[in-house]
Amino acid sequence: MQHRIVVLGAGYAGAIAAGRLAKRLHREDVAITLVNAEPDFVERVRMHQLATGQELRPRPLSEMFAGTGVELRLAKVTAVDADRRTVTLHDTHGTGAGTELAYDTLVYALGSGWHDQGVPGTAEHAHEIAGRPGALRLRERLAGLAAGQPVVVVGGGLTGLEAATEIAEARPDLDVALAARGALGDWLSPKGRRHLRKVFGRLGITAHEHAAVTAVEADRVTTAEGGAIPAAVTVWTTGFAVHPIARATTLEVTDAGQIVVDGTMRSVSHPDVYAVGDAALAMGPGDKPLRMSCASGTPMAWQAADAIAARLTGGKLPNVPLRYFNQCISLGRKEGLIQYVTADDRAVRAALTGRTAALYKELVCKGAAWAVANPLPARRRRVVRQPLETVTTAEASAEATA
């Protein structure tokens, strides 16, 4: 009987995990099903480009996984029963609601969406670019703005910087501003901060620093100091909220709803469940949680896929440390910033800037999408044993560190 592996979510982490598993396990031994609500792979790292009117290359999942042995199931996940080992689906192009899909091993990669942080008016008046639907709505709204109208990007992290610079470059006739809780680029190296301010100045972006936004209205945002910043359009980029399904299960999750995993991305409460990407709380160097990002999700997917394959085939468990090397930031299409970092994601002095950095970032984006459809070649191995269903949490932890 085939071992049933179900992967939920075909973002970077889920799609990479599914493809890597297909490369490592013999098709006669496993049935790999990839569940996703939409038929196309979405390059989430390019949503700021989509929002400004750029056309992105379509990437149908059916084409990306053709001939791999991965079965694509177009459906929305509505529930996970981690004790019965089933997921409930609403098929988007099929039988409708209430379909159950059983698994022997589950890879949970449902990811995250935008987080309004509970700020009044945000849900009603702000736009987000955490996914394709939001980016398309913002695209339509920006296209309808007249020259001189103000656009405010709230959030001084990577997404906020990319959104503000992309909008300002694409629409130099608009009055673009960014509101940051702290100083502009305060986590960057001195060289990185200087370059960021230089680009902001060249693009005419106003930086409102130490300006925590406490309310959003149709025509303005209000800061903690009581000041108002005019905004015909507000773009909200202050972080991500994980998909709520995991919180409704018996899986051990954090207060934020992330599944707690060990070093092999295996749930600490349910050994037949693995979680990758934004949906999981995994620890990196210095015992610091990995941040929600493609830079974290991709190696987490590699780790999970290799661990699953090893446990099924009797191979050696992966023991690759998850670490960071750089932060890649596009600042429009002509400028970029590559901030080199320590293993635990702290900026070092070195940084790459300018056109070279923009090309570097573009190669990273293209490489990430290519890697989804082209997992590294590997020898497919036969399943020699089933994972122990009764393994205890302590045994699972011991196995992970072996």
Side-chain angles (χ1 to χ4, degrees):
M1 182 177 178
Q2 288 182 309
H3 186 88
R4 300 164 298 181
I5 301 175
V6 174
V7 182
L8 303 182
Y12 287 99
I16 288 173
R20 197 171 178 98
L21 283 165
K23 282 286 189 179
R24 280 156 175 70
L25 297 169
H26 203 283
R27 294 186 187 180
E28 293 181 6
D29 297 339
V30 295
I32 303 172
T33 303
L34 177 60
V35 180
N36 200 59
E38 300 298 329
D40 294 333
F41 173 73
V42 175
E43 292 184 86
R44 192 176 186 182
V45 297
R46 294 189 187 273
M47 289 301 97
H48 54 286
Q49 295 177 240
L50 184 64
T52 56
Q54 299 172 49
E55 296 299 330
L56 303 183
R57 172 187 168 187
R59 297 182 183 274
L61 290 166
S62 58
E63 294 181 9
M64 296 175 76
F65 287 96
T68 64
V70 175
E71 178 189 354
L72 177 63
R73 182 78 172 268
L74 295 180
K76 180 180 179 181
V77 180
T78 58
V80 173
D81 190 326
D83 298 321
R84 292 179 54 239
R85 294 191 300 185
T86 62
V87 296
T88 304
L89 308 176
H90 179 96
D91 287 316
T92 53
H93 296 81
T95 58
T99 304
E100 276 198 346
L101 182 64
Y103 65 82
D104 298 305
T105 297
L106 180 70
V107 180
Y108 186 104
L110 290 180
S112 63
W114 75 306
H115 195 343
D116 65 13
Q117 308 290 346
V119 174
T122 303
E124 295 82 3
H125 301 298
H127 288 265
E128 50 88 11
I129 54 172
R132 182 179 173 83
L136 288 174
R137 286 191 291 270
L138 176 58
R139 175 185 182 134
E140 182 179 3
R141 182 71 180 97
L142 289 174
L145 290 182
Q149 289 191 278
V151 175
V152 175
V153 177
V154 181
L158 303 183
T159 305
L161 298 180
E162 293 193 327
T165 51
E166 200 76 46
I167 294 169
E169 182 185 85
R171 291 290 306 274
D173 58 321
L174 297 177
D175 182 10
V176 180
L178 180 138
R181 182 179 293 273
L184 182 64
D186 55 7
W187 76 94
L188 297 169
S189 65
K191 180 179 180 180
R193 291 195 297 272
R194 287 194 300 271
H195 184 68
L196 181 59
R197 291 187 181 277
K198 179 181 177 182
V199 173
F200 265 50
R202 184 183 304 137
L203 293 174
I205 302 171
T206 301
H208 297 276
E209 301 179 81
H210 306 289
V213 172
T214 55
V216 180
E217 298 178 48
D219 61 350
R220 75 193 67 188
V221 300
T222 303
T223 66
E225 292 75 22
I229 305 172
V233 172
T234 299
V235 185
W236 196 263
T237 68
T238 64
F240 301 106
V242 299
H243 197 288
I245 291 288
R247 191 189 296 274
T249 70
T250 55
L251 293 163
E252 183 175 335
V253 299
T254 66
D255 291 341
Q258 289 179 293
I259 298 171
V260 182
V261 297
D262 65 15
T264 65
M265 306 302 113
R266 192 185 206 179
S267 163
V268 298
S269 62
H270 291 71
D272 44 19
V273 175
Y274 293 73
V276 293
D278 293 354
L281 177 71
M283 306 308 290
D287 206 29
K288 292 171 57 176
L290 298 177
R291 60 181 164 89
M292 294 185 184
S293 65
C294 180
S296 303
T298 296
M300 290 168 74
W302 294 339
Q303 194 91 318
D306 292 353
I308 292 168
R311 288 185 169 114
L312 287 175
T313 63
K316 184 179 180 181
L317 282 173
N319 190 26
V320 179
L322 303 181
R323 58 154 298 162
Y324 296 102
F325 296 94
N326 53 44
Q327 295 178 5
C328 302
I329 311 168
S330 63
L331 302 173
R333 296 298 88 206
K334 301 176 183 178
E335 283 280 359
L337 171 59
I338 308 301
Q339 176 63 65
Y340 296 101
V341 298
T342 59
D344 63 349
D345 209 29
R346 290 175 291 113
V348 298
R349 292 182 61 186
L352 184 66
T353 62
R355 181 62 177 168
T356 303
L359 293 172
Y360 185 112
K361 172 65 187 294
E362 181 62 20
L363 287 174
V364 168
C365 292
K366 288 182 176 178
W370 184 88
V372 172
N374 300 275
L376 293 175
R379 176 187 171 190
R380 289 189 175 91
R381 298 184 178 275
R382 303 302 300 256
V383 171
V384 296
R385 64 183 176 91
Q386 298 293 318
L388 295 176
E389 299 176 8
T390 58
V391 67
T392 67
T393 301
E395 289 168 338
S397 300
E399 184 181 15
T401 57

